[in-house]
């Protein structure tokens, strides 16, 4: 595994807290990809010397210097040892080619974070949870379905990346004809990428905004393309994912088995978010699953999708911390 180059400076989109200790760490997944993370550690150590721990990632196309780092630092202020990690092929993490998303590998990234945390001497291996934001909310639920070491899961402003890729927004393109049209385009792109020796990028959040841009695209722009949330390593802030990253999400439905999650899960979504239907559908599966009693759906009044990225008046950190305190 290639050693990663980690920036020594604070380059987050949020201010550094003086209530916790911050440092850079690395760990590897079972595919041999080295992942980069920011670790946030409370200054007060538990009496037994072992923290409850939380791994955080997302949104889809973001880096740890954006929303996931804010979540991790804020939860560390509330007493948890946390890490915010860059998924494989993105940010400061390893993996080549760059800007690739994978339903399998990105699910594995969460379990790899648990591997790392469970082997720290200052972490209770029976007290590890995860937070996934946006598209990594769906991946977090997928990881929780497959990894019982994850004792509690929060999915915030969740996307089901398989559903939106295969069916389009609001399932408007849910037909074999539409999917086959996309498959034809992506297959052609594969041929071109191989011939070119490189991978075409899909483009990040559109900039400048067209006059007819939907409100949720305007919300993304306000986060990823302005000083509020822009980051030089963010996929969405810049050239976007590889075009062909869409292929496996069409063919490998995420969250097929989330109804089998035995451990607690909390879904959080904004009332005004265009993506709310993803959390409602996921919660319906959880409600009819093996242990519905410990599953929750919390809808934040008036909040849109990106409010739950960084709006401290919208993100219910006290509720999230209480959920983890009860369940880790």
């Amino acid at each position: 595994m290639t050693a990663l180059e980690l920036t020594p400076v604070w380059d987050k989109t949020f201010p550094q807290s003086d209530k916790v200790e911050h440092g850079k760490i690395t760990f590897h997944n079972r595919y041999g990809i080295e992942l980069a993370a920011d670790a946030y550690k409370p200054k007060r150590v538990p009496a037994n010397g072992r923290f409850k721990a939380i791994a955080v990632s997302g949104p889809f196309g973001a880096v740890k210097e954006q929303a996931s780092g804010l979540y991790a630092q804020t939860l560390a202020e509330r007493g948890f040892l946390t890490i915010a990690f860059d998924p494989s092929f993105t940010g400061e993490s390893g993996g080549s080619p760059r800007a690739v998303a994978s339903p399998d590998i990105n699910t594995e990234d969460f379990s790899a974070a648990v591997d790392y945390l469970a082997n720290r001497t200052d972490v209770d291996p029976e007290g590890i949870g995860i937070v996934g934001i946006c598209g990594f909310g769906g991946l977090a639920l997928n990881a929780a379905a497959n990894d019982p070491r994850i004792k509690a899961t929060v999915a915030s402003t969740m996307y089901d990346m398989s559903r939106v890729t295969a069916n389009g927004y609001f399932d408007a393109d849910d037909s074999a004809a539409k999917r086959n049209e996309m498959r034809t385009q992506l297959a052609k792109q594969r041929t071109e990428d191989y011939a070119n020796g490189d991978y075409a990028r899909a483009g990040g959040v559109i900039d400048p905004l067209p006059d007819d841009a939907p409100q949720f695209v305007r919300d993304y722009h306000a986060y990823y393309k302005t000083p509020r949330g822009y980051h030089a390593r963010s996929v969405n802030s810049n050239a976007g994912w590889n075009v062909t990253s869409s292929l496996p999400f069409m063919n490998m439905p995420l969250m097929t088995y989330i109804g089998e999650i035995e451990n607690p899960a909390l879904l959080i979504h904004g009332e005004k978010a265009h993506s709310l239907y993803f959390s409602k559908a996921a919660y319906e599966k959880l409600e009819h699953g093996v242990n519905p009693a410990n599953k929750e759906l919390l809808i934040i009044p008036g909040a849109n999708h990106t409010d739950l990225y960084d709006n401290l008046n919208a993100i219910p950190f006290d509720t999230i911390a209480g959920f983890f305190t009860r369940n880790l």
Side-chain angles (χ1 to χ4, degrees):
M1 288 174 284
T2 304
L4 303 179
E5 294 184 11
L6 306 180
T7 180
V9 300
W10 182 269
D11 60 348
K12 322 299 183 197
T13 60
F14 52 91
Q16 186 169 10
S17 172
D18 60 4
K19 299 176 182 177
V20 301
E21 297 174 0
H22 166 261
K24 293 291 189 79
I25 60 100
T26 63
F27 60 96
H28 62 272
N29 66 21
R30 66 186 181 88
Y31 294 108
I33 299 170
E34 195 80 3
L35 301 177
D38 286 294
Y40 299 90
K41 185 174 179 178
K43 292 183 176 179
R44 175 179 289 185
V45 179
N48 67 358
R50 295 203 163 192
F51 291 94
K52 307 298 183 180
I54 303 166
V56 190
S57 197
F60 195 78
V63 286
K64 63 188 181 304
E65 289 76 17
Q66 295 172 307
S68 62
L70 175 63
Y71 272 68
Q73 179 175 263
T74 306
L75 290 171
E77 290 178 332
R78 285 159 168 77
F80 303 95
L81 188 150
T82 64
I83 62 171
F85 67 87
D86 285 331
S88 295
F89 310 109
T90 68
E92 293 185 306
S93 286
S96 180
R98 305 303 293 166
V100 173
S102 163
D104 179 18
I105 295 174
N106 294 145
T107 297
E108 157 65 18
D109 289 342
F110 274 112
S111 286
V114 176
D115 295 341
Y116 166 77
L117 289 170
N119 280 282
R120 283 185 62 134
T121 58
D122 57 356
V123 167
D124 173 6
E126 296 300 319
I128 299 172
I130 62 174
V131 176
I133 307 164
C134 183
F136 277 80
L139 289 157
L141 290 174
N142 200 46
N146 202 46
D147 191 340
R149 299 173 304 165
I150 298 169
K151 300 304 182 184
T153 301
V154 170
S156 181
T157 195
M158 188 203 83
Y159 256 57
D160 179 342
M161 293 308 303
S162 292
R163 180 175 176 180
V164 74
T165 302
N167 299 348
Y169 279 106
F170 315 112
D171 301 322
D173 296 326
D174 184 11
S175 71
K178 287 290 186 180
R179 281 187 286 276
N180 281 328
E181 181 181 339
M182 187 187 304
R183 289 172 182 131
T184 299
Q185 294 170 352
L186 292 172
K188 179 182 178 183
Q189 186 64 57
R190 288 186 64 136
T191 304
E192 293 177 1
D193 287 348
Y194 194 91
N196 293 333
D198 198 5
Y199 295 85
R201 302 282 282 273
V205 173
I206 189 169
D207 184 46
L209 281 170
D211 292 338
D212 61 349
Q215 184 58 48
F216 73 90
V217 175
R218 294 180 182 277
D219 293 337
Y220 282 133
H221 185 277
Y223 182 76
Y224 285 108
K225 290 294 189 176
T226 73
R228 169 187 166 194
Y230 175 85
H231 198 278
R233 290 190 293 273
S234 167
V235 172
N236 286 347
S237 289
N238 297 285
W241 295 102
N242 285 357
V243 174
T244 54
S245 285
S246 298
L247 274 167
F249 288 95
M250 275 201 300
N251 207 41
M252 301 176 188
L254 288 167
M255 306 195 296
T256 299
Y257 297 107
I258 64 170
E260 297 177 11
I261 297 174
E262 295 181 332
N263 293 330
L266 169 63
L267 279 58
I268 303 168
H269 226 110
E271 176 195 18
K272 302 296 184 182
H274 68 285
S275 50
L276 177 57
Y277 70 105
F278 294 126
S279 281
K280 287 184 172 179
Y283 183 64
E284 186 175 354
K285 281 190 174 183
L286 296 173
E287 274 192 306
H288 294 90
V290 297
N291 195 358
N294 61 14
K295 309 302 187 292
E296 307 172 50
L297 172 62
L298 174 63
I299 298 176
I300 308 300
N304 65 32
H305 182 83
T306 56
D307 280 334
L308 296 185
Y309 286 6
D310 66 341
N311 185 339
L312 297 180
N313 293 318
I315 304 170
F317 278 119
D318 288 342
T319 299
I320 296 171
F323 169 79
F324 282 123
T325 297
R326 292 191 306 274
N327 294 303
L328 293 184

